[in-house]
Amino acid sequence: MVLSSLSEPAKGRIARVDIGGLPVGGQTALAFHRFEGEVPFLPRMALEVWDTAPEDWPQPLADIYGAVWHDPVAWAEKAVTLGAEMLVLRLMGGGAKGDAKATAETAGVAAAVVEATGIPAVILGPGEPERDAEVGKAVAAALSGKHCFLGMAEEVNHRALGAAALGYGQGVIASSPIDVNLAKQLNVLLSRLGLEESAIIMDPTTGALGYGLEYSYTVFERIRLAALTQNDQKMQVPIIALVGGESWKTKESRAGEAELPGAGDRLTRGVLWEAVTGLTLALAGADILALRHPRSVQLLRTAFDSLSRT
Amino acid sequence: MALSGLQVYKLLPKTNCKDCGFPTCMAFAMQLAAGKVELEKCPHVAEEIAAELGEAAAPPVRRLTLGTGERAVTVGEETVMYRHERRFEHAPLLAVRLGEEVTDQEFSRALVAFRDMAFDRVGQTLRPGGLALASDHAELLAARAMQAHQVTGAPLLLLSSDPTVLRAAAAPLAAARPLLCAADAESLPGMAAVALDLNLPLVLRAGGVEAVAALATQAVALGLKDLVLDTSPATLQEALRDHTFIRRAAVKQRSKSLGFPTLAQPWHLARARGAAAGTMSIGGGESLAVDPLLGTLYASFFIAKYAAVIILETLDPAQLLPLLVLSQNLYTDPQRPMQVDAGVYPLNDPGPDSPVLLTTNFSLTYFTVAGEVENGRVPAWLLVMDVEGQSVLTAWAAGKFVPEAIAPFVRTSGVAEKVSHRRLLIPGYVAQISGELEEELGGEWQVTVGPREAADIPRFLRSTM
């Protein structure tokens, strides 16, 4: 038997994207398939930082960040010491009803965080399309030329956010609801605005372990197969998985031993829930994992190292 | 490659005699090619053709059943590289290892813990499937295998490098179909003799895909049929390559020597990682020690990447639960997501004034919403719509959870007879359909947008209703 007959070299290549100087993507093979193509980089791991103290992060996360989460710069600096290669900065900035003042303030926080840490950043608004675009515009201007990635660009707000990114030399996070065709459609819309493949990162929506993970897994796989085996250029952009937020929302990560009897230690469950979700989606094609617990980062770093050695 | 319906048809008698129960040979051929009927249904097919068809119809990864009775586990029969191409057939057997370093007392306790461990999740019971017992002492292994069988009834892997030890432990239990583990190039003749005498499956272990294929060829020549392959990778990169190549060889090339289920030992890899980095602590200094959860994380790799039997070295429920849930997730048939029946579900004894909540019949969605409402102790009517088992957002994106489909369902669901009001709460993820849905319902119902997350429903209901 000839092993080379089992290799399946790809026809396409994922765009190489620089996030504030940190390269992502660029591969000509499925996730970690170094035996049949180029895989220049391991998945990047980001830790999440918020501009306001979160109210619903469970105890295992409060134990780590509780002392610093009232100060976004201190929180971000702590994330760097905990092993983050980049940050996913979420700007609540007055939330869904924030006004111009709140928007300007929150953009100032983003600039201070990026200035203080000097590491690459994905910067997300409060999660409401109109506000995401307003916050994104302010952040794009405040961090002009830093090549940050702004989100979430969805179909309804992609023009505003895309134009801001184009104008100030930033990229966008293109978010679509767990569907291969909708993901592609948004990339097409963004490229019509003039954004290059190297200025887009896709967020095809992450489902946590036990909460729709298999949908994300299969959508990521199908996007990556279309990009590499069918050479579909509109799919050849890196993928980000927002693992931490989804994973730490689950009952299995949050419930104490009394609420979930017979399911063991909460910290073990929570860390593994996040790390298993992250590894599974990395195997499906995720290039960036946004995480919350530093122990997940360490576990995944060891796994990725083993996935790169023979 | 498997034969197409047309290729199968050409080999059939083409008499349309209907003895198989199908109206035409063509109809039978299509079902045969799809693996839905057995060739034996046709009494007229010639013997040499039957052999040819039988081989073509066999799954590319050989089926293997371990254990007996209600805890028996079947693996193999896989037909695809990616779950969206069809589905992954059989979730891997997760076998908890108990080695000879475990004392008798610990062993007995572990058996009970293993036997009683079960997690209920979205209507299914999840539990680790088997036990892997390791020893090179014949008496010890035989005694423990018998005890494990009697206490748990679960499938057993018997681990020893000595064929005489395996024979002693397996012979009294041969009817319970344990898996013998493992033969290498050197021990194959002795191990094969035990496997053939007792008619039991055997693990073949060699370094890499080519070596294990060569070993399998030898084993098949000796008359063995039920084999499990272990390429003993040293890193996850090697494991990914080996498992991917083996699956490709089976599925795409119908390889005879690689068309078998595979075995993985994630804890070996986790320990090797520690040793390679010089971080395993030998007395003292453990600041750089490998995280004890690493083996579990590596096991999750093998659930996604094609292993059929995975040896675990933990009985900690906090570590087993994520693995069982991952296995449940990835081995769900993507064409037939787990779903519940459509209808009106009463939660917490609701009355005519209780709110009506609309959601989809994806079982995870149903169990999450129902669970949160029940825990929140708010009486409510849950209106569950059949969208072929998709989640709210997916069903909306697919055009199944849209006003023109929802309105007729609300009208025919019977919920209007159960409540005195006409207020309908819809999931926050489909906020944009509220206006159109009110129109579709002819203005009879007032549509309110609820929260996006199920966890926020009880608070929302208390503050608004």
Side-chain angles (χ1 to χ4, degrees):
Chain A
M1 190 196 58
V2 187
L3 275 188
S4 60
S5 75
L6 293 168
S7 282
E8 295 179 358
K11 297 193 187 76
R13 178 190 288 275
I14 306 304
R16 181 178 155 142
V17 172
D18 280 281
I19 308 174
L22 185 75
V24 171
Q27 60 272 51
T28 60
L30 296 171
F32 307 105
H33 279 218
R34 289 169 178 247
F35 46 86
E36 56 190 354
E38 294 168 43
V39 184
F41 313 111
L42 293 174
R44 303 295 186 182
M45 284 182 284
L47 281 172
E48 223 178 292
V49 173
W50 288 26
D51 68 338
T52 42
E55 285 170 9
D56 63 343
W57 286 29
Q59 197 57 44
L61 296 174
D63 290 343
I64 309 273
Y65 303 111
V68 292
W69 67 23
H70 294 280
D71 177 353
V73 170
W75 184 353
E77 282 169 344
K78 174 146 187 125
V80 175
T81 67
L82 292 173
E85 292 171 279
M86 47 185 285
L87 300 176
V88 166
L89 179 60
R90 183 173 282 280
L91 301 174
M92 301 312 286
K97 295 190 177 73
D99 55 16
K101 183 162 167 279
T103 305
E105 275 172 14
T106 201
V109 170
V113 164
V114 171
E115 197 63 42
T117 59
I119 67 167
V122 164
I123 303 174
L124 307 177
E128 195 278 316
E130 209 171 307
R131 284 291 293 149
D132 281 6
E134 285 166 14
V135 170
K137 270 192 259 181
V139 171
L143 285 164
S144 179
K146 296 278 187 190
H147 216 240
C148 299
F149 276 71
L150 311 172
M152 294 293 182
E154 301 176 33
E155 199 179 328
V156 290
N157 69 356
H158 78 279
R159 284 174 183 280
L161 203 51
L166 263 180
Y168 294 98
Q170 323 284 12
V172 296
I173 305 292
S175 182
S176 51
I178 331 188
D179 182 283
V180 176
N181 297 320
L182 294 177
K184 178 174 173 174
Q185 176 64 16
L186 186 54
N187 288 350
V188 170
L189 292 174
L190 287 166
S191 65
R192 276 191 203 142
L193 283 182
L195 283 158
E196 306 279 338
E197 266 87 28
S198 60
I200 305 172
I201 293 171
M202 307 167 86
D203 159 37
T205 300
T206 290
L209 175 62
Y211 294 83
L213 175 62
E214 68 273 33
Y215 290 87
S216 296
Y217 183 77
T218 284
V219 166
F220 285 24
E221 273 194 334
R222 290 180 58 199
I223 288 174
R224 207 29 73 85
L225 285 165
L228 294 174
T229 65
Q230 293 151 34
N231 197 20
D232 184 337
Q233 293 184 359
K234 293 298 171 224
M235 294 296 214
Q236 289 168 349
V237 299
I239 295 175
I240 187 171
L242 301 177
V243 171
E246 292 303 315
S247 179
W248 287 99
K249 205 163 70 183
T250 64
K251 184 162 96 184
E252 288 81 354
S253 299
R254 302 176 73 92
E257 287 86 58
E259 296 159 81
L260 216 56
D265 172 61
R266 170 165 71 175
L267 178 64
T268 302
R269 253 189 276 127
V271 166
L272 278 174
W273 221 261
E274 182 172 46
V276 167
T277 302
L279 180 59
T280 306
L281 291 177
L283 289 168
D287 299 280
I288 303 168
L289 303 177
L291 303 161
R292 287 188 177 172
H293 201 289
R295 196 167 163 199
S296 312
V297 174
Q298 297 305 332
L299 278 164
L300 286 165
R301 180 157 291 141
T302 310
F304 293 159
D305 179 67
S306 185
L307 270 162
S308 67
R309 288 166 189 256
T310 50
Chain B
M1 292 295 280
L3 296 182
S4 70
L6 203 59
Q7 287 167 316
V8 173
Y9 173 72
K10 286 177 183 161
L11 299 172
L12 293 177
K14 299 192 265 300
T15 53
N16 296 338
C17 70
K18 302 184 180 60
D19 289 353
C20 61
F22 289 89
T24 63
C25 287
M26 189 65 198
F28 181 60
M30 299 305 285
Q31 296 296 310
L32 204 56
K36 288 178 182 164
V37 290
E38 302 291 320
L39 181 62
E40 286 81 67
K41 294 259 183 200
C42 174
H44 310 295
V45 78
E47 206 170 297
E48 64 274 17
I49 302 273
E52 192 182 329
L53 276 172
E55 204 164 279
V61 179
R62 188 176 164 83
R63 172 193 172 94
L64 174 67
T65 298
L66 299 171
T68 49
E70 61 182 32
R71 293 212 61 168
V73 172
T74 295
V75 295
E77 293 193 296
E78 300 298 338
T79 58
V80 295
M81 299 300 299
Y82 306 102
R83 55 192 295 282
H84 68 264
E85 295 175 298
R86 188 173 182 191
R87 63 177 169 265
F88 288 167
E89 290 293 334
H90 299 297
L93 171 65
L94 302 181
V96 177
R97 185 182 188 278
L98 297 171
E100 60 186 5
E101 71 282 358
V102 175
T103 67
D104 286 346
Q105 201 185 4
E106 287 166 347
F107 184 78
S108 299
R109 238 186 269 142
L111 291 185
V112 173
F114 170 86
R115 181 195 65 197
D116 296 342
M117 188 173 299
F119 306 94
D120 285 320
R121 208 161 189 294
V122 292
Q124 292 186 343
T125 302
L126 308 180
R127 62 204 317 188
L131 287 164
L133 310 180
S135 176
D136 278 333
H137 297 97
E139 257 176 64
L140 183 76
L141 192 62
R144 287 192 168 180
M146 187 52 78
Q147 188 188 351
H149 174 65
Q150 286 167 348
V151 173
T152 70
L156 300 179
L157 277 67
L158 302 175
L159 279 54
S160 173
S161 54
D162 183 345
T164 59
V165 171
L166 287 184
R167 186 186 290 272
L173 283 171
R177 300 277 301 159
L179 174 61
L180 306 177
C181 186
D184 58 19
E186 205 177 314
S187 66
L188 180 63
M191 290 287 187
V194 178
L196 283 168
D197 288 351
L198 301 175
N199 188 25
L200 289 178
L202 175 66
V203 176
L204 302 178
R205 180 169 296 149
V209 176
E210 283 179 324
V212 90
L215 202 55
T217 305
Q218 285 180 49
V220 170
L222 290 170
L224 289 165
K225 290 193 175 71
D226 289 323
L227 300 170
V228 174
L229 308 180
D230 176 6
T231 59
S232 48
T235 65
L236 288 182
Q237 171 64 207
E238 292 182 12
L240 180 65
R241 179 200 61 201
D242 293 353
H243 284 253
T244 302
F245 279 175
I246 288 174
R247 177 63 66 87
R248 276 185 194 160
V251 168
K252 300 191 171 180
Q253 301 182 1
R254 300 287 281 188
S255 166
K256 294 266 193 301
S257 52
L258 293 172
F260 297 104
T262 53
L263 176 126
Q265 303 203 66
W267 268 257
H268 279 203
L269 287 173
R271 276 193 295 270
R273 169 70 189 93
T279 52
M280 284 300 260
S281 66
I282 306 167
E286 53 185 331
S287 59
L288 286 172
V290 167
D291 192 313
L293 303 183
L294 193 62
T296 305
L297 183 63
Y298 282 15
S300 74
F301 163 88
F302 285 106
I303 291 172
K305 287 298 166 186
Y306 309 134
V309 180
I310 304 175
I311 296 179
L312 310 179
E313 299 186 23
T314 180
L315 248 176
D316 174 8
Q319 296 186 57
L320 292 173
L321 180 60
L323 297 179
L324 292 165
V325 172
L326 179 64
S327 187
Q328 181 188 39
N329 281 176
L330 296 183
Y331 280 80
T332 295
D333 186 343
Q335 266 89 51
R336 283 194 11 228
M338 289 186 285
Q339 41 187 289
V340 295
D341 291 335
V344 187
Y345 289 78
L347 303 173
N348 301 321
D349 201 11
D353 295 334
S354 302
V356 176
L357 282 60
L358 176 72
T359 193
T360 72
N361 76 326
F362 177 34
S363 65
L364 177 62
T365 301
Y366 167 78
F367 280 103
T368 309
V369 172
E372 293 292 349
V373 173
E374 278 168 356
N375 287 340
R377 299 195 175 81
V378 191
W381 300 97
L382 187 57
L383 193 51
V384 177
M385 176 166 161
D386 180 4
V387 292
E388 292 158 42
Q390 292 185 332
S391 67
V392 168
L393 212 48
T394 315
W396 170 75
K400 292 172 190 158
F401 197 58
V402 292
E404 51 272 36
I406 296 170
F409 166 66
V410 172
R411 285 210 190 89
T412 57
S413 66
V415 73
E417 286 99 76
K418 297 187 190 296
V419 293
S420 54
H421 63 84
R422 291 292 178 267
R423 290 184 308 275
L424 180 65
L425 191 69
I426 64 170
Y429 276 110
V430 290
Q432 63 273 45
I433 68 169
S434 61
E436 207 186 323
L437 181 57
E438 277 190 355
E439 275 174 42
E440 287 283 342
L441 284 163
E444 289 166 45
W445 288 78
Q446 179 197 336
V447 176
T448 309
V449 178
R452 287 185 160 211
E453 303 299 334
D456 300 326
I457 293 175
R459 198 170 25 177
F460 181 89
L461 291 180
R462 277 193 218 103
S463 65
T464 59
M465 299 281 167

Short mmCIF file of all heavy atoms in Angstrom, two decimals, chain A residues 20 23 34 127 262 300-301:
data_model
loop_
_atom_site.label_atom_id
_atom_site.label_comp_id
_atom_site.label_asym_id
_atom_site.label_seq_id
_atom_site.Cartn_x
_atom_site.Cartn_y
_atom_site.Cartn_z
N GLY A 20 -3.42 43.08 13.45
CA GLY A 20 -2.46 43.90 14.18
C GLY A 20 -1.08 43.28 14.24
O GLY A 20 -0.42 43.30 15.27
N PRO A 23 -0.14 36.99 12.26
CA PRO A 23 -0.69 36.30 11.09
C PRO A 23 -1.61 35.14 11.47
O PRO A 23 -1.37 34.42 12.43
CB PRO A 23 0.55 35.79 10.36
CG PRO A 23 1.61 35.71 11.39
CD PRO A 23 1.28 36.70 12.48
N ARG A 34 -1.03 18.65 8.30
CA ARG A 34 0.31 18.99 7.82
C ARG A 34 0.88 17.92 6.90
O ARG A 34 1.84 18.16 6.19
CB ARG A 34 1.25 19.15 9.02
CG ARG A 34 0.93 20.40 9.80
CD ARG A 34 1.63 20.47 11.12
NE ARG A 34 1.27 21.76 11.72
CZ ARG A 34 2.13 22.75 11.91
NH1 ARG A 34 3.40 22.61 11.61
NH2 ARG A 34 1.71 23.89 12.42
N GLY A 127 -23.60 43.81 20.67
CA GLY A 127 -24.32 42.66 20.12
C GLY A 127 -25.65 43.01 19.50
O GLY A 127 -26.44 42.13 19.20
N GLY A 262 -23.95 14.41 41.09
CA GLY A 262 -23.39 13.29 40.34
C GLY A 262 -22.59 13.69 39.13
O GLY A 262 -22.16 12.85 38.35
N LEU A 300 -5.31 23.75 25.69
CA LEU A 300 -5.39 23.77 24.23
C LEU A 300 -4.02 24.01 23.62
O LEU A 300 -3.69 23.46 22.57
CB LEU A 300 -6.40 24.83 23.77
CG LEU A 300 -7.86 24.43 23.99
CD1 LEU A 300 -8.79 25.64 23.86
CD2 LEU A 300 -8.28 23.35 22.99
N ARG A 301 -3.19 24.83 24.28
CA ARG A 301 -1.84 25.07 23.75
C ARG A 301 -1.07 23.76 23.69
O ARG A 301 -0.38 23.47 22.70
CB ARG A 301 -1.12 26.09 24.63
CG ARG A 301 0.28 26.39 24.15
CD ARG A 301 0.75 27.75 24.63
NE ARG A 301 0.01 28.81 23.97
CZ ARG A 301 -0.40 29.93 24.57
NH1 ARG A 301 -0.14 30.12 25.85
NH2 ARG A 301 -1.06 30.84 23.90
#
